[in-house]
Amino acid sequence: MSVWSAVLLAACICMALKAAGYLVPATVMEAPRPARISDFLTVALLAALVAVQSLGDGQAIVVDARVPAVLVAAGLLWMRQSFLVVVIAAAAVAALLRLLGWAT
């Protein structure tokens, strides 16, 4: 199977799942348990994405300037700072650490 065949197959599966979502009655998703599960699932997927992008380098786990930058961003978000402040501070931390030589 070529790469493009796999991409097209994955796209078709995603579209089928999205279409299937429209067939679920609204009353099912408005119940407390499915609503709570879907909220937690969203948070878990976002956390996994952040972890993979922050620690991943191919098949290896790498701790470099991205990790302290994400920790600074998390701390500022916890303190309810604006998103612009969070992004600028995290970028500044990563840039400073890379300037000091802590980068891969």
Side-chain angles (χ1 to χ4, degrees):
M1 178 186 296
S2 72
V3 173
W4 286 110
S5 298
V7 169
L8 289 173
L9 178 64
C12 290
I13 291 171
C14 287
M15 288 299 295
L17 284 172
K18 187 171 179 87
Y22 286 114
L23 299 175
V24 176
T27 56
V28 172
M29 291 308 293
E30 291 171 356
R33 187 172 185 164
R36 189 173 53 243
I37 290 171
S38 67
D39 288 344
F40 286 148
L41 185 61
T42 303
V43 172
L45 288 172
L46 184 58
L49 177 64
V50 169
V52 167
Q53 292 297 315
S54 298
L55 298 172
D57 186 22
Q59 295 292 322
I61 295 176
V62 177
V63 177
D64 59 2
R66 296 176 290 182
V67 175
V70 168
L71 292 175
V72 166
L76 289 173
L77 285 172
W78 182 69
M79 293 172 23
R80 299 195 183 268
Q81 295 296 318
S82 71
F83 187 70
L84 185 60
V85 170
V86 170
V87 170
I88 291 172
V93 167
L96 180 64
L97 290 174
R98 288 182 175 162
L99 182 67
L100 295 174
W102 196 28
T104 57

